[in-house]
Amino acid sequence: MLRLEAGTTWGNWAGTATADPVAVAHPSSTDEVVDVVRQARERGLTVKPVGSGHSFTGVAVTDGVLVMLDRLRGVVAADVPRGRVRVLAGTPLHQLNPALGALGLALPNLGDIDRQTISGAIATGTHGTGARFRGLADAVVGTRIVLADGSVHDCDVETEPDLFAASRVSLGALGIITELTLQCVPAFLLHAREEPGTLTGTLDALDDLVDGTDHFEFYWFPHTDRVLTKRNTRLPVEAGENPLPRWRARLDDDLLSNRLFEVVNRVSAARPQWVPRINGVSSRVLSSREFTAASYEVFASQRDVVFREMEYAVPREAARDVITGLRRIVDEGGHRLPFPVEVRFTAADDVWLSTAHGRDTCYVAVHQYHRMDHRPYFAAFEDVARAHDGRPHWGKLHGRARDDLRPTYPCFDDFLAVRDRVDPDRLFANDYLVRVLGD
Ligand SMILES: Cc1cc2nc3c(=O)[nH]c(=O)nc-3n(C[C@H](O)[C@H](O)[C@H](O)COP(=O)(O)OP(=O)(O)OC[C@H]3O[C@@H](n4cnc5c(N)ncnc54)[C@H](O)[C@@H]3O)c2cc1C
């Protein structure tokens, strides 16, 4: 029997959520996960699997048994000709991506960072950008999940299709996923082209930019009309890499994007009235650059400056109105915002609780430095996003609850029905889940 260790205080990356679990477990197999679930039930404790703690919400918090997945890592099996790979749920993306690369495979799309576990990333609907591409959960074609009664289920589109559909973006509400089967694509390179521009010009040409590039996104510097656009184009591996010189990569990614940016934010927190001028300078420091490297190296970057984030998924056709509404908040609201706004796009998918379910989507993410108050700014943005049928990222800060989330997800009740069936006693519940799914 796996011994449950005494719990110690746990906190997430952003410092927005903490937990004081009664016990902590580090299972190294599906059988040990079953064992943990049974012990928790016997002791009347709730259970919560946790990934890398990179959600800003309390989605991973528990006062019962915290299940760390750090011993469930690695690739279990690969069918390379079909591009199918079975991986352990706790595998962090920064280990998974090179492991897939070694097999000549890659995930079709990725987000901004690679610190998350694969199971944590899919549980909250993590996504990247690209009008023809979908979020990470879309690549999941099979899950092995341990339910509240200790039973183990291997499900996919044919076997237990409802449990499978719900388990792709599950918020950790259904059980503990121990293995995932991923549909990968052949490994590919990305040619990255980053250049400064204006928000006005970008919004005028938005459809051409979004549809004319495999992976388009832009960062808008609040209090200015300036943006940094990123256009990533997919290339076959045979095209050959052309990476940035090492000094340039360190200058941009380590010094400017992290160390100097931390200083900029500290100054902004101390002298908020300087922020508009600081942003004017910051937006000019990041100059144009082009390079080509392995897809996962281009998609992911290092984020050391701690911030708070809210991100809303809105129908793509509402993108301009939402960004214009946000600009009005920035111009008129008296907020001081040293962090850029990030704007991304993905294709519609059919994952039940995916924020892109059933509609081509624009993601608008607002950030605030952790030493500055994010609440008035986020609340004002949330009103704009809600007016455009926005769906909040499950892992990022928001103020929505079950009854006003339900109408925006066509399969919300299907998800709740699966939850009622597989976890009637709410072994996997926590306060966040009670708010967004009900008790
Ligand atoms: C700096 C930073 C950058 C980010 N960039 C992006 C981005 O580009 N795009 C984007 O969409 N999001 C982004 N995020 C959000 C992040 O991807 C999600 O919050 C993700 O869920 C974090 O994964 P994690 O492994 O840390 O999971 P955690 O936050 O630890 O857990 C998240 C949820 O997953 C559940 N879970 C974990 N493992 C399992 C399992 N085995 N079975 C069942 N449930 C499980 C947990 O119970 C919890 O409900 C970013 C976050 C940060 C801090």
Side-chain angles (χ1 to χ4, degrees), residues 151-407:
S151 58
V152 179
H153 297 247
D154 283 306
C155 46
D156 57 29
V157 72
E158 279 161 8
T159 312
E160 300 198 66
D162 280 7
L163 181 58
F164 170 66
S167 69
R168 288 208 281 178
V169 174
S170 74
L171 316 184
L174 305 178
I176 302 182
I177 294 172
T178 57
E179 289 184 16
L180 294 155
T181 306
L182 301 168
Q183 179 62 58
C184 300
V185 297
F188 60 100
L189 304 180
L190 282 176
H191 173 72
R193 192 170 143 204
E194 302 175 4
E195 53 195 4
T198 63
L199 180 62
T200 312
T202 303
L203 291 183
D204 284 347
L206 197 59
D207 285 331
D208 289 343
L209 289 165
V210 174
D211 293 325
T213 315
D214 289 329
H215 304 275
F216 173 76
E217 69 180 303
F218 70 90
Y219 291 89
W220 168 48
F221 293 81
H223 315 293
T224 78
D225 189 44
R226 301 196 63 81
V227 299
L228 181 75
T229 59
K230 291 193 175 188
R231 283 181 253 191
N232 292 335
T233 302
R234 296 163 88 97
L235 295 173
V237 172
E238 299 73 46
E241 297 191 15
N242 182 18
L244 285 173
R246 200 178 298 185
W247 67 266
R248 178 76 200 265
R250 283 197 62 178
L251 176 74
D252 290 350
D253 299 334
D254 183 26
L255 183 65
L256 296 181
S257 301
N258 285 300
R259 284 199 263 169
L260 191 61
F261 194 46
E262 174 68 39
V263 175
V264 163
N265 277 279
R266 282 178 185 250
V267 172
S268 300
R271 296 272 185 278
Q273 70 276 20
W274 291 358
V275 169
R277 260 189 295 158
I278 290 174
N279 284 9
V281 175
S282 302
S283 62
R284 287 179 161 80
V285 170
L286 295 170
S287 53
S288 303
R289 59 181 196 168
E290 286 192 51
F291 57 98
T292 305
S295 59
Y296 58 90
E297 289 172 6
V298 177
F299 281 133
S301 49
Q302 199 179 321
R303 295 285 180 85
D304 294 339
V305 181
V306 179
F307 56 87
R308 315 281 189 243
E309 181 172 351
M310 167 182 281
E311 181 172 53
Y312 261 90
V314 298
R316 181 175 155 180
E317 53 277 14
R320 270 185 218 83
D321 289 345
V322 171
I323 295 162
T324 306
L326 177 59
R327 188 169 201 175
R328 205 168 301 124
I329 291 168
V330 172
D331 289 345
E332 297 169 7
H335 313 286
R336 289 294 174 254
L337 310 163
F339 256 85
V341 171
E342 185 177 16
V343 181
R344 295 181 275 185
F345 301 85
T346 66
D349 64 40
D350 63 356
V351 181
W352 283 2
L353 288 193
S354 163
T355 47
H357 181 97
R359 63 193 199 192
D360 290 342
T361 293
C362 168
Y363 289 95
V364 181
V366 295
H367 309 77
Q368 181 59 294
Y369 181 52
H370 71 113
R371 293 172 206 273
M372 297 171 78
D373 188 6
H374 62 275
R375 288 167 299 183
Y377 172 45
F378 284 15
F381 173 58
E382 184 154 63
D383 286 343
V384 171
R386 186 200 298 259
H388 292 275
D389 196 20
R391 298 169 178 164
H393 190 303
W394 297 108
K396 300 184 183 178
L397 300 174
H398 68 91
R400 305 283 290 275
R402 177 173 108 147
D403 288 344
D404 72 332
L405 288 166
R406 194 180 210 156

Side-chain angles (χ1 to χ4, degrees), residues 13-30:
W13 177 87
T16 46
T18 54
D20 285 304
V22 171
V24 176
H26 296 264
S28 58
S29 65
T30 299

Side-chain angles (χ1 to χ4, degrees), residues 102-130:
L103 295 167
L105 299 173
L107 285 172
N109 202 1
L110 287 166
D112 281 350
I113 58 159
D114 59 10
R115 298 296 105 183
Q116 311 95 319
T117 58
I118 182 67
S119 57
I122 65 152
T124 61
T126 295
H127 64 89
T129 193

